[in-house]
Amino acid sequence: MPPGIAVGSWGQQLIAFRLFLPMFSTMSRKVEKTEKSARLLELARQVTPGGVHSPVRAFKAVGGTPRFIERGEGPYLIDADGNRYLDFCCSWGPLILGHADPDVVAAVREQAGKGLTFGASTELEYQLAQFIVDRIDSVEKIRFVSSGTEAVMSAIRLARGFTGRDLILKFDGCYHGHSDFLLVQAGSGAATFGQPSSAGVPASIAGQTAVLPLDDDAALEDFFAHHGDNLAAVVIEGIPANNGLLIQRREYMRLLRQLTERHGALLLLDEVITGFRLGLGGAAAHYGLRPDLLTYGKIIGGGMPVGAFGGRADIMDMLSPEGPVYQAGTLSGNPVAMVAGLTTLRQLADGTIHTDLQKKTRRFVERLSAGLDGAGITIASIGSIFWLSFQQELPRRADRIDSNGIARYNRGYEKILNSGLYFPPSGYEVCFISAAHTEQMLDDAADLLASLII
Ligand SMILES: *Cc1c(COP(=O)(O)O)cnc(C)c1O
């Protein structure tokens, strides 16, 4: 039988199935047992701190048993005990197409058969670089690394090398990975320069990073008046989405651009979470902003470990081997990761997935909001990112996040998880919708979630 006919009849069967069995909702089953996850955690704790390789996975904030995952299927996660969850975490952002997208998996399999790493250049690196340079106005040249942390760390070194200045400015509530000079929090009182936010970060390093609250024009102007001429770079998240979803005003971002330009400091827009999530142009296009440097990760690796930094060609050409700023990586531009990223981005290239995701997310948020009417919960959302804020007014800066709201999310978490919805295990984290989530699944999830929270 010609393949076209086989596909057609299968499609019709699917339609018929959905028409005749509407009462079998797409919702996942209730979680009944978690013994295997609990046992795996016990074993893992003997050989790994907390049993996890990234702290939030330990569920410390929300309690309960962190789930060990066996596999992902489209919008679902399946854990070691066989429980199925509709996934709103999506590996913290990379999985815009959902789990185990067939095209991405096929491309990865094919590349793996040809070799996993060469430590030499490949055409795939060039293709992914060209894809990104073609679509992001402010990225003239780009270099790949293996994580978002590495991307921002390298971009900061480059900014310092280019400007000959040491000082950097970041914002309270923005996350840029875990390099020493970004694990910094605001000092007490009016102190501008930061203090380490982790043990092991030398105070002398934290002292090279200034920290300001977001959304405060006067504080920004004052800072630049005093320190602008010593500043190598300002780093800010495209849309701050690692500590609630703190959507910034366009005018604030423009002010940042004006001030950096006036003082010869570079503007580094960290698009690790927003890049190719908020449409093809990311947050830079959303604000109509032209940063000097940009960082990427998450989606551009299609689920494999990748990061990238790019921007103005005159700055990028300061990098080794062209210039004096050293940067390198054994697995940088890894061919399997490159092909996973390329296969993901090519599916996004015509914009229909983003449009569809935005529509689905809006519908989900509206339905959930209606269901939560009067429960004191607002939902921040942009593109296919949303954040359940258990407070009446949406904050634009970190110190306006109500910790009682976070506590409320954390208390309710286990009940939500045990109903088959996998949300991020901390009230500060944002949620994602993927192309594999259908409207029907999302409608059911919105109704279920509303009934669980109220
Ligand atoms: C996730 C993230 C990072 C860190 O990326 P890793 O790959 O986890 O090192 C940096 N910046 C932003 C904005 C992120 O969302």
Side-chain angles (χ1 to χ4, degrees):
M1 192 189 299
I5 291 176
V7 169
S9 60
W10 178 229
Q12 279 157 22
Q13 282 170 31
L14 282 181
I15 289 164
F17 177 80
R18 291 197 53 177
L19 282 178
F20 290 114
L21 296 171
M23 68 289 287
F24 286 96
S25 86
T26 50
M27 200 40 52
S28 339
R29 266 181 310 125
K30 247 182 142 48
V31 173
E32 271 143 24
K33 52 182 174 32
T34 56
E35 282 101 39
K36 221 164 159 189
S37 282
R39 174 79 185 127
L40 286 169
L41 180 67
E42 217 177 277
L43 291 171
R45 288 174 80 140
Q46 293 166 24
V47 289
T48 296
V52 295
H53 296 273
S54 197
V56 72
R57 297 179 197 170
F59 279 37
K60 288 272 187 216
V62 295
T65 305
R67 305 305 149 85
F68 280 61
I69 303 304
E70 197 167 277
R71 61 181 203 280
E73 279 176 16
Y76 296 110
L77 275 176
I78 293 106
D79 72 12
D81 292 281
N83 303 304
R84 215 168 136 87
Y85 308 87
L86 189 63
D87 184 13
F88 287 95
C89 188
C90 296
S91 192
W92 309 93
L95 300 179
I96 193 165
L97 302 176
H99 293 274
D101 175 75
D103 289 350
V104 175
V105 171
V108 163
R109 282 213 169 101
E110 192 192 332
Q111 181 54 46
K114 296 180 188 168
L116 300 175
T117 173
F118 309 117
S121 299
T122 64
E123 186 173 356
L124 289 168
E125 297 164 339
Y126 157 70
Q127 287 175 338
L128 186 55
Q130 187 72 56
F131 186 100
I132 295 173
V133 167
D134 281 348
R135 279 157 188 86
I136 314 284
D137 284 349
S138 33
V139 177
E140 295 168 356
K141 289 195 175 179
I142 191 164
R143 180 166 281 176
F144 293 115
V145 292
S146 298
S147 71
T149 295
E150 207 186 339
V152 183
M153 181 185 83
S154 308
I156 296 276
R157 184 183 307 131
L158 178 58
R160 286 171 161 166
F162 181 82
T163 57
R165 303 171 178 179
D166 290 340
L167 183 62
I168 57 178
L169 170 64
K170 79 176 283 280
F171 296 92
D172 182 29
C174 283
Y175 179 68
H176 304 289
H178 62 91
S179 56
D180 282 356
F181 44 81
L182 292 166
L183 285 184
V184 172
Q185 61 200 2
S188 53
T192 308
F193 297 96
Q195 293 173 351
S197 63
S198 161
V201 173
S204 60
I205 293 202
Q208 306 279 341
T209 302
V211 184
L212 288 184
L214 287 160
D215 191 43
D216 186 339
D217 295 17
L220 200 59
E221 277 167 346
D222 185 62
F223 177 85
F224 270 89
H226 289 95
H227 306 288
D229 296 341
N230 298 323
L231 193 62
V234 178
V235 54
I236 187 165
E237 281 187 65
I239 304 278
N242 279 283
N243 183 70
L245 185 59
L246 307 173
I247 300 171
Q248 298 300 296
R249 291 173 292 119
R250 271 193 173 76
E251 306 77 59
Y252 182 70
M253 299 302 284
R254 295 220 177 104
L255 177 63
L256 202 50
R257 179 65 285 187
Q258 282 163 12
L259 289 169
T260 43
E261 237 159 43
R262 192 178 309 152
H263 290 270
L266 302 184
L267 177 58
L268 163 48
L269 194 68
D270 181 359
E271 296 244 41
V272 171
I273 211 163
T274 42
F276 296 94
R277 168 66 63 177
L278 287 188
L280 293 169
H286 170 76
Y287 295 123
L289 200 67
R290 202 176 164 91
D292 302 297
L293 289 170
L294 301 92
T295 47
Y296 295 91
K298 298 193 171 115
I299 286 178
I300 67 157
M304 296 290 291
V306 179
F309 61 109
R312 269 166 51 190
D314 60 326
I315 303 174
M316 292 301 289
D317 282 338
M318 292 288 282
L319 273 180
S320 192
E322 297 286 304
V325 178
Y326 190 69
Q327 189 277 330
T330 302
L331 294 179
S332 288
N334 175 267
V336 183
M338 294 291 107
V339 85
L342 255 180
T343 311
T344 299
L345 293 187
R346 281 180 179 151
Q347 292 189 55
L348 302 176
D350 70 3
T352 53
I353 289 183
H354 282 118
T355 309
D356 191 49
L357 274 174
Q358 174 141 10
K359 223 178 75 196
K360 282 194 292 198
T361 307
R362 209 168 272 163
R363 180 183 163 110
F364 173 77
V365 167
E366 275 165 17
R367 190 166 174 125
L368 179 57
S369 302
L372 290 172
D373 191 26
I377 293 165
T378 46
I379 303 162
S381 125
I382 184 163
S384 50
I385 310 176
F386 69 93
W387 176 54
L388 301 174
S389 128
F390 284 63
Q391 63 192 75
Q392 288 290 359
E393 210 163 303
L394 290 177
R396 270 203 290 260
R397 45 188 277 180
D399 57 2
R400 302 280 153 80
I401 296 177
D402 178 6
S403 57
N404 295 318
I406 300 293
R408 205 172 145 201
Y409 175 98
N410 292 349
R411 275 198 308 275
Y413 182 82
E414 204 174 355
K415 194 164 84 172
I416 295 169
L417 183 67
N418 286 338
S419 302
L421 301 176
Y422 196 98
F423 277 82
S426 156
Y428 287 102
E429 302 288 349
V430 299
C431 311
F432 300 94
I433 286 177
S434 84
H437 290 72
T438 66
E439 249 175 30
Q440 184 64 60
M441 291 169 192
L442 292 169
D443 284 355
D444 292 348
D447 296 347
L448 176 60
L449 189 58
S451 73
L452 291 169
I453 291 174
I454 280 180

